[in-house]
Amino acid sequence: MAEAKVRRRGRPKKSQSPWSAKEERSRDKEFDNKREAVIDAAASLFHSKGYEASSLNDLAMMLNITKPTVYYYISSKDDLALEIKRRAQESIIEALETAEASYDDPLLRLEQMLLSYAGVIMSDYGKCLAIISRQSLLPESRSEVEERIARAEKVVFRSFKAAKKAGQIDYQDLGITYLAIFGSLNWLAHWYDEDGRKSAKEVAQTVVQALLNGLKSR
């Protein structure tokens, strides 16, 4: 059996800082571009170094700006983590709801949901969603994240139940099955290597098929 290539955390990915750009921009556009650069850099930093070990000083050094400049675009480290999680969660919810509306076949619908989820989890924002513990956030931020989790779970549970009712899959306990499936997908954030021999799409398809094959009715 081939050994999966594990991604080792290293230096965050380099990206061009908008603070070094010379082109003319409107003030609002410039602010938006620089705020996006802060959030993107934070996602890369948190994944590569770990959320708890990362600081806003690290982020400022990464962007070659001062810490007060970082605070001009975000209010706190918690604010950054919440924004990154929000974007990943909203991408997931949109993909889940699109799959639910697009596929009549319950098993195909469920498969597309899992593939979409895997795709997000292998992005920088998705990796942060998986590796930054909810307990690391302030209570009000944690509550916001948990509300979106509950919204996504309702969509996924409907597809699991529909596929079982159609005789396409079987499981004994939906809650445990859900945790097993999505726990496996969340680990993609830890071991997927974007420089490996398989693309993110190929990895997602392989993992999702393995998980669904364990559920399919015999």
Side-chain angles (χ1 to χ4, degrees):
M1 178 182 297
E3 183 179 351
K5 186 175 181 182
V6 178
R7 178 181 177 85
R8 292 177 173 83
R9 292 182 182 177
R11 293 181 180 177
K13 291 180 290 187
K14 291 184 178 180
S15 58
Q16 179 162 356
S17 171
W19 283 269
S20 63
K22 300 296 184 182
E23 60 265 28
E24 294 290 329
R25 297 191 184 99
S26 70
R27 185 166 296 178
D28 288 344
K29 181 68 173 177
E30 184 177 17
F31 178 89
D32 290 344
N33 286 343
K34 289 181 177 179
R35 185 171 187 274
E36 286 300 304
V38 169
I39 297 169
D40 286 347
S44 179
L45 176 66
F46 292 162
H47 173 249
S48 62
K49 190 173 181 179
Y51 179 70
E52 300 294 345
S54 299
S55 69
L56 295 186
N57 278 328
D58 295 327
L59 183 59
M61 291 177 62
M62 182 176 172
L63 290 166
N64 197 28
I65 58 177
T66 64
K67 189 175 179 180
T69 301
V70 172
Y71 276 115
Y72 181 69
Y73 299 99
I74 54 97
S75 62
S76 65
K77 183 179 171 183
D78 182 84
D79 177 45
L80 266 176
L82 179 62
E83 178 63 14
I84 291 166
K85 279 181 170 281
R86 180 189 67 78
R87 293 184 182 196
Q89 286 184 304
E90 288 184 351
S91 293
I92 289 168
I93 290 171
E94 181 181 4
L96 295 178
E97 292 177 343
T98 297
E100 186 174 44
S102 302
Y103 293 87
D104 293 328
D105 184 277
L107 185 58
L108 287 177
R109 187 189 316 149
L110 181 59
E111 179 181 21
Q112 187 56 48
M113 287 182 178
L114 300 184
L115 287 171
S116 297
Y117 184 86
V120 174
I121 285 296
M122 287 185 282
S123 69
D124 273 348
Y125 281 31
K127 290 170 184 174
C128 288
L129 176 63
I131 68 174
I132 298 176
S133 168
R134 279 176 271 171
Q135 283 65 42
S136 299
L137 303 176
L138 296 175
E140 58 268 29
S141 299
R142 193 183 313 150
S143 177
E144 184 178 328
V145 168
E146 288 170 350
E147 286 176 6
R148 285 191 288 268
I149 290 173
R151 180 180 167 190
E153 284 179 346
K154 288 180 181 179
V155 180
V156 175
F157 280 8
R158 286 197 294 266
S159 287
F160 270 107
K161 291 175 181 177
K164 183 174 182 179
K165 185 177 181 180
Q168 296 171 312
I169 64 173
D170 192 24
Y171 52 81
Q172 293 182 330
D173 184 289
L174 178 54
I176 293 174
T177 301
Y178 168 84
L179 290 174
I181 296 290
F182 282 87
S184 297
L185 293 177
N186 283 339
W187 268 99
L188 288 168
H190 297 271
W191 65 258
Y192 167 65
D193 183 358
E194 63 187 15
D195 296 322
R197 61 186 179 85
K198 295 287 187 180
S199 68
K201 183 177 180 179
E202 290 172 321
V203 169
Q205 289 172 335
T206 300
V207 172
V208 168
Q209 284 305 312
L211 293 171
L212 286 179
N213 285 341
L215 288 176
K216 288 180 181 177
S217 298
R218 299 294 187 265

